[in-house]
Amino acid sequence: MPRKLIKRLMPNHEVIKRQKALKIFGNLLYNPNLWCLNRRSAAGAFAVGLFMAFIPLPSQMIMAAGLAVMFGVNLPLSIALVWITNPITMPVIFYFTYKLGALVMQMPPQSFHFELSWQFLQTQFHTIFVPLFVGSGICAAVASIIGYFGIMGLWRYSVVRSWQKRQSNKIAKL
């Protein structure tokens, strides 16, 4: 079940190989392990993609691709999962990670008004930088661990259930 669902939702690997941003990986993209879908590669891809989704840096997709190549996990799935933090969800997620970081560091959360400008980066970003990255690191680690073991468990459950269904069908035919 998870394999069929994930395979149906995954983008075509030929389209991904032609992306200009991924040219920096050169011939490494021709590693067949990056394109196969099994329990280990899917769980690793979830860990990589979810980890990078919570890191508030530009070019998350390229960094997720680099980690996928380095760990030999499914590349398209790793890149796709980064889009959990998209322009719609990003403010809510990163505000939560900032609050979590401030709580963990026992700092009072600073009041700030976010605006996408150079002025904001120069004046207010340094006050939220450390708690944001601490909270993001915690959320990234927790999400990647839950994603990895969740997919491993779901995959195993699906295989066992499929095996049991085949066994019961086999017995019913007798």
Side-chain angles (χ1 to χ4, degrees), residues 34-56:
L34 299 177
W35 310 105
C36 72
L37 190 60
N38 55 39
R39 181 174 58 147
R40 183 197 155 293
S41 70
F46 264 78
V48 166
L50 290 174
F51 185 85
M52 288 312 303
F54 284 95
I55 302 299

Side-chain angles (χ1 to χ4, degrees), residues 157-170:
Y157 171 77
S158 176
V159 168
V160 167
R161 199 172 116 224
S162 174
W163 184 80
Q164 288 173 341
K165 189 183 278 187
R166 270 185 291 178
Q167 290 299 321
S168 66
N169 287 344
K170 190 176 182 181

Side-chain angles (χ1 to χ4, degrees), residues 5 27 36 47 54 62 77 118-119 127 142:
L5 176 67
N27 290 337
C36 72
F54 284 95
I62 294 172
L77 197 52
W118 188 250
Q119 178 69 21
T127 62
V142 168

Side-chain angles (χ1 to χ4, degrees), residues 6-150:
I6 292 170
K7 220 171 194 177
R8 195 174 38 165
L9 296 174
M10 257 187 357
N12 185 349
H13 70 276
E14 290 301 325
V15 173
I16 292 174
K17 282 181 186 176
R18 289 192 299 259
Q19 293 295 316
K20 288 181 182 180
L22 297 178
K23 296 286 185 198
I24 61 173
F25 297 113
N27 290 337
L28 293 173
L29 292 180
Y30 294 103
N31 179 355
N33 291 331
L34 299 177
W35 310 105
C36 72
L37 190 60
N38 55 39
R39 181 174 58 147
R40 183 197 155 293
S41 70
F46 264 78
V48 166
L50 290 174
F51 185 85
M52 288 312 303
F54 284 95
I55 302 299
L57 295 173
S59 66
Q60 293 170 312
M61 289 174 44
I62 294 172
M63 290 187 281
L67 288 174
V69 168
M70 185 171 33
F71 292 121
V73 298
N74 191 281
L75 180 67
L77 197 52
S78 297
I79 292 172
L81 284 165
V82 169
W83 281 95
I84 288 173
T85 51
N86 57 55
I88 296 170
T89 62
M90 199 177 289
V92 175
I93 289 173
F94 289 143
Y95 183 71
F96 172 76
T97 60
Y98 165 71
K99 288 286 215 177
L100 177 65
L103 180 72
V104 167
M105 295 179 65
Q106 297 178 349
M107 294 174 54
Q110 300 292 321
S111 174
F112 64 92
H113 173 69
F114 178 78
E115 64 182 63
L116 193 55
S117 70
W118 188 250
Q119 178 69 21
F120 172 78
L121 291 176
Q122 287 180 328
T123 59
Q124 292 186 349
F125 191 70
H126 72 278
T127 62
I128 65 170
F129 177 77
V130 175
L132 176 66
F133 273 91
V134 168
S136 294
I138 292 169
C139 288
V142 168
S144 65
I145 290 168
I146 289 172
Y148 180 82
F149 288 112

